[in-house]
Amino acid sequence: MKEKRFNCERARTVSIVDTMAKLGHFPVRETEKEAWFLSPFRSETQASFKVSKTLNRWYDHGEGLGGNIIDLVCRLKSYGVRETLTWLQGQTGSFSFHQPPTVVREKKISVNDIRPISHMALIDYLQKRQIPLTLAYGYIKQVHFGIGEKSFFALGLQNKIGGWELRNCFQKYCASPKAITIIENNNPSLTVVEGMFDFLSLLVIQPKWFAESDVLILNSLAFATKVNSILEKYSDLNLALDNDSAGDRATQYLIGLYPIAEDRRNCYAGFKDINEKLMHHGQE
C-alpha cells in the first residue's frame, strides 16, 4: 500500500505544545488538559496564549485569535501553507502527535542490531563532524534498523528509557520511545546540551566540564520543561544550548527556574552550537 503523504490533515495532528517548545516557547503553567504561554506574537508579562491539549488548538486571548498548528506555524515563521507543511514534515522525528482515533502514524522504526561502530560511512561521518572515533566509541553505537521493508544504519545514542537517537549523513531518526539521555558520573554539577553531537563536541572542546559534571542530553527542546526532578538534584547547572532564538528562550526559561544555572554559550560564541565551532576550528 502506498504511504499517505504529509498533508494538512496529518499536519494538524502534530502536537502544538511540542511545536512551541521546538520554537523556544515554554508553558508558564500547565495542566493535563491545557498549557498557558506568554504570547509568541508580542511582549507580555501575563500568559494569555492557551493551548488545549485535548483539541490540539491554540487561542490568543490578547488578540482574540486562534487556530490549529498550521495557522500557528504560518504566522510564527511567516510561511505559506506549503512551506509550513514542508517544515512540519521535516520536524516530525522530534515531535509527538495529537492522538485522535483517526491519526495517521508514521511507519515504526524497528531496531534490528546494535554493535560497535565499524562501518566506514559512519566513521567518515564522525571525522567530518570532527569527533574522534575513540571518543565516540564509549557512548555511541552502530544501530541497524528498519522502516517498513527498508533497512538503514546510523550512529545511535540510547536514551534513558531504551529509545535511540539515530544520525547518519543523510537524515535524523528517532526509534521510540523518545526521551532524554543522562550521563552520570556522580558529580554535583550538571551540563545541559541539546543533542548527540553537542555532547560529543563537548567532550572534545571542554573535556574538563565532562570530568567535573554529569551531562543531560535533552534530545529535543520539548523536554526542557520536563526535567525539573533531575535539575533540582544538582548544586551547579551549566547550560550549553544552541545559539539561536529557541536556545535563547530555553536558556532563559531554565535560568528563571534555577537562578544557579549559568549560560555557558560564550565558549562557542559566534557559532550556532558546539559542533559548528568544532568543525570550524578542528580539534585544536
Side-chain angles (χ1 to χ4, degrees), residues 68-202:
N68 58 40
I69 183 65
I70 299 172
D71 304 318
L72 180 63
V73 175
C74 280
R75 184 169 178 188
L76 285 176
K77 298 187 74 64
S78 298
Y79 284 169
V81 172
R82 181 174 295 181
E83 290 175 299
T84 293
L85 293 179
T86 300
W87 185 81
L88 286 170
Q89 183 177 22
Q91 300 296 323
T92 51
S94 60
F95 285 154
S96 62
F97 288 79
H98 187 62
Q99 302 287 330
T102 57
V103 164
V104 179
R105 292 181 175 84
E106 292 188 336
K107 290 183 178 180
K108 185 177 180 180
I109 292 176
S110 58
V111 174
N112 302 320
D113 188 31
I114 301 166
R115 64 182 75 165
I117 302 168
S118 61
H119 198 290
M120 280 308 303
L122 298 182
I123 295 173
D124 289 345
Y125 183 46
L126 285 171
Q127 290 176 343
K128 178 182 177 183
R129 303 293 293 260
Q130 296 291 322
I131 305 296
L133 175 62
T134 52
L135 184 152
Y137 211 74
Y139 303 98
I140 307 298
K141 300 297 183 182
Q142 178 174 308
V143 180
H144 292 253
F145 59 99
I147 305 176
E149 297 179 354
K150 296 182 179 180
S151 298
F152 304 89
F153 61 91
L155 299 170
L157 173 70
Q158 193 169 34
N159 64 43
K160 65 178 294 188
I161 56 176
W164 289 88
E165 296 296 316
L166 302 168
R167 303 287 183 270
N168 58 36
C169 61
F170 301 108
Q171 189 57 276
K172 297 180 180 181
Y173 303 92
C174 175
S176 298
K178 192 171 182 70
I180 63 166
T181 300
I182 186 161
I183 311 296
E184 295 180 294
N185 297 314
N186 296 314
N187 285 308
S189 297
L190 178 72
T191 298
V192 183
V193 299
E194 288 193 29
M196 176 195 305
F197 279 100
D198 296 314
F199 165 61
L200 295 173
S201 301
L202 178 70

Side-chain angles (χ1 to χ4, degrees), residues 19-27 37-42 76-77 194 221 224-225 239 241-257 263 265:
T19 303
M20 291 286 283
K22 182 71 176 178
L23 293 170
H25 302 281
F26 303 93
F37 298 78
L38 297 175
S39 176
F41 304 132
R42 63 185 175 278
L76 285 176
K77 298 187 74 64
E194 288 193 29
L221 279 181
T225 63
L239 306 179
L241 306 181
D242 286 0
N243 274 319
D244 57 16
S245 58
D248 291 343
R249 294 189 186 100
T251 297
Q252 293 308 311
Y253 171 80
L254 292 173
I255 290 175
L257 290 179
D263 185 352
R265 293 178 296 172

